[in-house]
Amino acid sequence: MRTALAVLAAAIVLPAQPLAGQELDVTRRTYTFLDSRLDVDVLADAPGVIQVIRGERGRIEVAARSRDGFAGFGLGGTHTRQLRLTAVGSEAVQYLVVVPENVSVRVRLPTGASASLAPRQALGTWSWAGDPPAASDAVGSPPASPVGPDNVPLPTTLGGLFLAHRSTWAPTMINIPELAAVRSLSLRFEGADFRIAASRPLGVSPGDRNHMEIRVDGEPLDLVLFIPRGRAAFQLRSGDTRIAESVGDRPRAICGNVVIQSPTPSQAWLTFYPQHGRLDCR
Protein backbone atom coordinates (compact mmCIF):
# COMPACT_ATOMS: atom_id res chain seq x y z
CA MET A 1 0.00 0.00 0.00
CA ARG A 2 2.88 2.39 0.75
CA THR A 3 4.20 1.88 -2.79
CA ALA A 4 0.74 2.40 -4.29
CA LEU A 5 0.28 5.55 -2.22
CA ALA A 6 3.56 6.99 -3.44
CA VAL A 7 2.69 6.25 -7.08
CA LEU A 8 -0.79 7.76 -6.81
CA ALA A 9 0.48 10.83 -4.98
CA ALA A 10 2.87 11.49 -7.85
CA ALA A 11 0.24 10.89 -10.53
CA ILE A 12 -2.65 13.27 -9.87
CA VAL A 13 -3.16 16.71 -11.37
CA LEU A 14 0.00 18.72 -10.77
CA PRO A 15 2.98 18.18 -13.11
CA ALA A 16 5.58 15.70 -11.87
CA GLN A 17 8.41 18.20 -12.42
CA PRO A 18 8.26 21.66 -10.82
CA LEU A 19 8.33 24.71 -13.03
CA ALA A 20 11.24 27.10 -12.82
CA GLY A 21 11.28 28.83 -9.45
CA GLN A 22 8.66 26.46 -8.00
CA GLU A 23 9.02 23.70 -5.47
CA LEU A 24 6.79 20.68 -4.96
CA ASP A 25 6.87 19.11 -1.51
CA VAL A 26 5.23 15.79 -0.64
CA THR A 27 4.31 15.03 2.96
CA ARG A 28 3.08 11.63 4.16
CA ARG A 29 1.60 10.28 7.38
CA THR A 30 -0.08 7.06 8.59
CA TYR A 31 -2.66 6.85 11.40
CA THR A 32 -4.21 3.89 13.17
CA PHE A 33 -7.99 4.05 12.65
CA LEU A 34 -10.57 1.66 14.14
CA ASP A 35 -13.78 3.74 13.90
CA SER A 36 -16.59 3.42 11.34
CA ARG A 37 -16.97 7.11 10.42
CA LEU A 38 -14.50 9.76 9.36
CA ASP A 39 -14.88 13.49 8.63
CA VAL A 40 -12.27 15.01 6.34
CA ASP A 41 -12.06 18.80 6.67
CA VAL A 42 -10.06 20.61 3.99
CA LEU A 43 -8.96 23.93 5.51
CA ALA A 44 -6.57 25.05 2.77
CA ASP A 45 -7.00 28.48 1.15
CA ALA A 46 -5.15 27.45 -2.03
CA PRO A 47 -6.96 25.79 -4.95
CA GLY A 48 -6.56 22.06 -5.06
CA VAL A 49 -7.92 18.54 -5.31
CA ILE A 50 -8.54 15.69 -2.90
CA GLN A 51 -8.86 12.03 -3.79
CA VAL A 52 -10.14 9.43 -1.31
CA ILE A 53 -9.62 5.73 -2.02
CA ARG A 54 -10.11 2.47 -0.14
CA GLY A 55 -7.20 0.66 1.42
CA GLU A 56 -6.14 -1.53 4.34
CA ARG A 57 -8.22 -2.18 7.44
CA GLY A 58 -7.29 -0.28 10.59
CA ARG A 59 -5.24 2.54 9.10
CA ILE A 60 -5.44 5.86 7.31
CA GLU A 61 -2.68 6.97 4.98
CA VAL A 62 -2.35 10.59 3.83
CA ALA A 63 -0.12 12.12 1.19
CA ALA A 64 -0.10 15.85 0.44
CA ARG A 65 1.74 17.78 -2.22
CA SER A 66 1.93 21.57 -2.35
CA ARG A 67 3.37 24.10 -4.72
CA ASP A 68 5.52 26.80 -3.07
CA GLY A 69 4.16 26.11 0.39
CA PHE A 70 3.63 23.63 3.20
CA ALA A 71 0.84 21.06 3.48
CA GLY A 72 -0.11 19.54 6.81
CA PHE A 73 -2.70 17.29 8.45
CA GLY A 74 -3.84 16.01 11.81
CA LEU A 75 -6.32 13.45 13.13
CA GLY A 76 -8.56 14.54 16.01
CA GLY A 77 -12.20 14.78 17.03
CA THR A 78 -14.16 13.14 19.82
CA HIS A 79 -17.55 11.69 18.82
CA THR A 80 -16.57 11.53 15.14
CA ARG A 81 -12.93 11.35 14.15
CA GLN A 82 -11.79 14.29 12.02
CA LEU A 83 -8.89 14.35 9.59
CA ARG A 84 -7.97 18.01 9.11
CA LEU A 85 -5.98 19.01 6.02
CA THR A 86 -4.38 22.41 5.59
CA ALA A 87 -1.80 24.26 3.52
CA VAL A 88 0.23 27.40 4.23
CA GLY A 89 1.64 29.66 1.51
CA SER A 90 0.71 27.25 -1.29
CA GLU A 91 -0.30 28.17 -4.82
CA ALA A 92 -1.92 24.76 -5.30
CA VAL A 93 -2.29 21.66 -3.16
CA GLN A 94 -3.23 18.00 -3.59
CA TYR A 95 -4.31 15.45 -1.02
CA LEU A 96 -4.53 11.68 -1.36
CA VAL A 97 -6.32 9.95 1.54
CA VAL A 98 -6.45 6.16 1.84
CA VAL A 99 -9.21 4.96 4.20
CA PRO A 100 -10.24 1.47 5.33
CA GLU A 101 -13.03 -0.46 3.64
CA ASN A 102 -16.55 0.01 5.06
CA VAL A 103 -15.75 3.37 6.68
CA SER A 104 -18.26 6.15 5.91
CA VAL A 105 -16.40 9.29 4.85
CA ARG A 106 -17.68 12.87 4.68
CA VAL A 107 -15.52 15.50 3.00
CA ARG A 108 -15.93 19.22 3.66
CA LEU A 109 -14.26 21.45 1.06
CA PRO A 110 -12.94 25.00 1.61
CA THR A 111 -15.91 26.33 -0.41
CA GLY A 112 -18.31 25.04 2.25
CA ALA A 113 -19.52 22.21 0.03
CA SER A 114 -20.00 18.79 1.60
CA ALA A 115 -19.45 15.47 -0.15
CA SER A 116 -19.64 11.85 0.94
CA LEU A 117 -18.02 8.52 0.13
CA ALA A 118 -20.38 5.65 0.85
CA PRO A 119 -18.93 2.51 2.47
CA ARG A 120 -19.16 0.58 -0.80
CA GLN A 121 -17.57 3.30 -2.94
CA ALA A 122 -13.95 2.64 -3.91
CA LEU A 123 -12.96 6.13 -5.03
CA GLY A 124 -14.01 9.78 -4.80
CA THR A 125 -12.33 12.87 -6.25
CA TRP A 126 -13.24 16.51 -5.59
CA SER A 127 -11.60 19.84 -6.47
CA TRP A 128 -12.08 23.47 -5.54
CA ALA A 129 -10.92 26.92 -6.57
CA GLY A 130 -8.96 29.27 -4.36
CA ASP A 131 -11.97 31.41 -3.41
CA PRO A 132 -15.68 30.45 -3.38
CA PRO A 133 -17.53 32.12 -6.29
CA ALA A 134 -19.80 35.04 -5.44
CA ALA A 135 -23.48 34.53 -6.14
CA SER A 136 -23.36 37.10 -8.93
CA ASP A 137 -20.57 35.13 -10.65
CA ALA A 138 -22.33 31.76 -10.52
CA VAL A 139 -22.55 29.74 -13.71
CA GLY A 140 -26.30 29.82 -13.32
CA SER A 141 -26.57 33.51 -14.17
CA PRO A 142 -28.60 34.14 -17.36
CA PRO A 143 -26.44 34.44 -20.47
CA ALA A 144 -26.23 37.81 -22.16
CA SER A 145 -26.53 36.34 -25.66
CA PRO A 146 -29.84 35.35 -27.29
CA VAL A 147 -30.82 31.69 -27.40
CA GLY A 148 -30.85 29.98 -30.78
CA PRO A 149 -32.54 26.73 -31.87
CA ASP A 150 -31.57 23.41 -30.31
CA ASN A 151 -28.58 21.51 -31.72
CA VAL A 152 -26.83 24.80 -32.60
CA PRO A 153 -23.81 25.57 -30.36
CA LEU A 154 -24.46 28.86 -28.61
CA PRO A 155 -21.92 31.27 -27.10
CA THR A 156 -20.48 30.21 -23.79
CA THR A 157 -22.27 31.19 -20.62
CA LEU A 158 -20.52 32.49 -17.51
CA GLY A 159 -18.07 29.86 -16.31
CA GLY A 160 -17.12 28.71 -19.81
CA LEU A 161 -20.13 26.44 -20.44
CA PHE A 162 -21.94 26.09 -23.77
CA LEU A 163 -25.70 26.60 -23.57
CA ALA A 164 -27.40 23.69 -25.38
CA HIS A 165 -31.06 24.30 -24.53
CA ARG A 166 -33.29 26.82 -22.79
CA SER A 167 -37.05 26.93 -22.21
CA THR A 168 -39.61 28.38 -19.83
CA TRP A 169 -40.74 24.88 -18.79
CA ALA A 170 -38.82 21.88 -17.44
CA PRO A 171 -39.64 18.20 -17.97
CA THR A 172 -40.83 16.16 -15.01
CA MET A 173 -38.11 13.57 -15.65
CA ILE A 174 -34.71 13.68 -17.38
CA ASN A 175 -32.97 10.45 -18.35
CA ILE A 176 -29.27 10.23 -19.24
CA PRO A 177 -28.96 6.58 -20.34
CA GLU A 178 -25.15 6.47 -20.46
CA LEU A 179 -22.73 8.22 -18.09
CA ALA A 180 -19.46 6.94 -19.57
CA ALA A 181 -18.76 10.31 -21.24
CA VAL A 182 -19.98 12.38 -18.27
CA ARG A 183 -17.13 13.69 -16.10
CA SER A 184 -19.46 15.56 -13.77
CA LEU A 185 -23.24 15.97 -13.64
CA SER A 186 -24.65 18.98 -11.82
CA LEU A 187 -28.27 19.72 -10.93
CA ARG A 188 -28.80 23.38 -10.07
CA PHE A 189 -32.20 24.25 -8.67
CA GLU A 190 -32.49 27.98 -9.20
CA GLY A 191 -34.15 30.68 -11.24
CA ALA A 192 -37.26 30.45 -13.43
CA ASP A 193 -35.90 28.94 -16.67
CA PHE A 194 -34.89 25.39 -17.58
CA ARG A 195 -31.43 25.24 -19.15
CA ILE A 196 -28.91 22.62 -20.24
CA ALA A 197 -25.24 23.60 -20.47
CA ALA A 198 -22.04 21.63 -21.02
CA SER A 199 -18.29 22.15 -21.12
CA ARG A 200 -18.35 21.56 -24.89
CA PRO A 201 -21.08 21.99 -27.55
CA LEU A 202 -23.86 19.43 -27.09
CA GLY A 203 -26.93 18.70 -29.19
CA VAL A 204 -30.15 17.84 -27.36
CA SER A 205 -33.70 17.00 -28.36
CA PRO A 206 -36.32 19.13 -26.56
CA GLY A 207 -38.54 16.20 -25.54
CA ASP A 208 -41.81 17.10 -23.82
CA ARG A 209 -43.06 18.23 -20.42
CA ASN A 210 -43.00 14.70 -19.02
CA HIS A 211 -39.76 13.24 -20.32
CA MET A 212 -36.45 14.35 -21.83
CA GLU A 213 -33.56 12.09 -22.79
CA ILE A 214 -29.99 13.40 -23.04
CA ARG A 215 -27.44 11.22 -24.82
CA VAL A 216 -23.77 12.01 -24.26
CA ASP A 217 -20.84 10.42 -26.08
CA GLY A 218 -17.36 11.31 -27.24
CA GLU A 219 -14.85 13.10 -25.04
CA PRO A 220 -15.85 13.37 -21.33
CA LEU A 221 -17.72 16.55 -20.50
CA ASP A 222 -19.22 18.43 -17.57
CA LEU A 223 -23.02 18.60 -17.81
CA VAL A 224 -25.12 21.15 -15.90
CA LEU A 225 -28.93 21.06 -15.69
CA PHE A 226 -30.66 24.19 -14.37
CA ILE A 227 -34.05 23.29 -12.86
CA PRO A 228 -36.52 26.09 -11.98
CA ARG A 229 -37.45 26.40 -8.32
CA GLY A 230 -41.04 25.88 -7.23
CA ARG A 231 -41.67 22.67 -9.20
CA ALA A 232 -43.97 20.12 -7.56
CA ALA A 233 -41.83 17.14 -8.63
CA PHE A 234 -38.70 16.38 -10.64
CA GLN A 235 -36.57 13.27 -11.14
CA LEU A 236 -33.17 12.62 -12.74
CA ARG A 237 -32.41 9.08 -13.91
CA SER A 238 -29.77 7.10 -15.74
CA GLY A 239 -31.62 4.24 -17.37
CA ASP A 240 -33.58 2.52 -14.59
CA THR A 241 -31.49 4.11 -11.81
CA ARG A 242 -32.72 7.17 -9.91
CA ILE A 243 -29.91 9.69 -9.34
CA ALA A 244 -31.75 12.58 -7.70
CA GLU A 245 -35.22 13.94 -7.20
CA SER A 246 -37.09 16.94 -5.89
CA VAL A 247 -40.47 16.69 -4.17
CA GLY A 248 -42.19 19.81 -2.91
CA ASP A 249 -39.17 21.88 -4.04
CA ARG A 250 -36.87 19.88 -1.74
CA PRO A 251 -33.99 18.40 -3.79
CA ARG A 252 -32.21 15.29 -2.53
CA ALA A 253 -29.42 13.08 -3.87
CA ILE A 254 -30.09 9.36 -4.13
CA CYS A 255 -26.62 8.42 -5.40
CA GLY A 256 -23.31 8.94 -3.65
CA ASN A 257 -20.09 10.66 -4.75
CA VAL A 258 -21.98 13.94 -4.70
CA VAL A 259 -21.10 17.48 -3.65
CA ILE A 260 -24.04 19.44 -2.18
CA GLN A 261 -23.93 23.24 -2.17
CA SER A 262 -26.29 26.11 -1.31
CA PRO A 263 -24.57 29.26 -2.62
CA THR A 264 -27.61 31.34 -1.63
CA PRO A 265 -30.92 30.51 0.11
CA SER A 266 -32.61 30.36 -3.31
CA GLN A 267 -30.06 27.97 -4.84
CA ALA A 268 -29.46 24.24 -4.30
CA TRP A 269 -26.73 22.45 -6.26
CA LEU A 270 -26.11 18.69 -6.45
CA THR A 271 -22.97 17.71 -8.38
CA PHE A 272 -22.29 14.03 -9.08
CA TYR A 273 -18.98 12.52 -10.19
CA PRO A 274 -19.49 9.20 -12.03
CA GLN A 275 -16.66 6.68 -11.83
CA HIS A 276 -16.22 4.57 -14.97
CA GLY A 277 -19.70 5.57 -16.11
CA ARG A 278 -21.43 4.57 -12.88
CA LEU A 279 -22.72 6.06 -9.63
CA ASP A 280 -23.19 4.24 -6.35
CA CYS A 281 -26.93 4.48 -5.72
CA ARG A 282 -29.25 3.19 -3.04
Side-chain angles (χ1 to χ4, degrees):
M1 175 57 67
R2 291 179 183 274
T3 301
L5 181 62
V7 172
L8 284 170
I12 54 177
V13 183
L14 293 178
Q17 297 295 326
L19 301 177
Q22 293 179 334
E23 185 176 323
L24 297 178
D25 293 322
V26 178
T27 307
R28 298 180 178 86
R29 181 73 183 272
T30 300
Y31 301 95
T32 299
F33 189 82
L34 303 176
D35 293 329
S36 60
R37 294 177 56 193
L38 175 67
D39 284 349
V40 180
D41 292 341
V42 184
L43 306 175
D45 293 329
V49 63
I50 179 172
Q51 187 169 91
V52 181
I53 64 172
R54 298 292 178 183
E56 297 180 23
R57 179 182 300 178
R59 59 195 268 158
I60 293 174
E61 296 182 71
V62 188
R65 183 166 66 173
S66 65
R67 177 185 294 163
D68 286 344
F70 300 92
F73 24 79
L75 183 65
T78 52
H79 300 293
T80 300
R81 301 288 276 170
Q82 294 179 332
L83 178 65
R84 302 179 181 102
L85 310 177
T86 187
V88 178
S90 298
E91 293 184 7
V93 64
Q94 299 169 287
Y95 300 103
L96 177 64
V97 181
V98 183
V99 300
E101 301 283 356
N102 301 320
V103 170
S104 295
V105 180
R106 182 174 62 173
V107 179
R108 284 193 288 264
L109 302 179
T111 59
S114 178
S116 62
L117 186 74
R120 291 181 297 169
Q121 279 184 262
L123 173 69
T125 304
W126 303 275
S127 60
W128 63 93
D131 296 307
S136 60
D137 296 330
V139 176
S141 301
S145 57
V147 178
D150 288 329
N151 302 321
V152 177
L154 301 176
T156 56
T157 67
L158 294 176
L161 296 177
F162 288 87
L163 187 65
H165 173 80
R166 184 176 186 178
S167 64
T168 56
W169 56 269
T172 304
M173 190 265 285
I174 295 178
N175 192 351
I176 307 173
E178 298 293 336
L179 298 175
V182 177
R183 183 168 50 230
S184 69
L185 172 58
S186 182
L187 272 179
R188 301 192 176 185
F189 294 87
E190 62 182 44
D193 291 339
F194 168 56
R195 284 167 286 161
I196 301 174
S199 55
R200 59 176 171 81
L202 176 70
V204 300
S205 177
D208 57 42
R209 293 179 181 271
N210 295 321
H211 178 267
M212 174 180 280
E213 186 172 279
I214 302 175
R215 293 191 173 272
V216 181
D217 55 19
E219 291 296 319
L221 56 71
D222 301 303
L223 184 62
V224 183
L225 309 178
F226 299 91
I227 310 301
R229 298 304 300 257
R231 293 187 53 82
F234 172 81
Q235 188 175 108
L236 176 65
R237 303 180 70 94
S238 179
D240 296 329
T241 302
R242 290 186 304 155
I243 298 176
E245 65 183 12
S246 177
V247 179
D249 204 27
R250 294 184 177 181
R252 75 181 185 103
I254 299 172
C255 295
N257 209 14
V258 58
V259 174
I260 300 174
Q261 297 171 275
S262 296
T264 69
S266 62
Q267 294 175 298
W269 296 357
L270 311 177
T271 304
F272 298 89
Y273 295 88
Q275 301 293 329
H276 307 292
R278 302 189 62 179
L279 289 167
D280 185 24
C281 304
R282 296 191 286 268

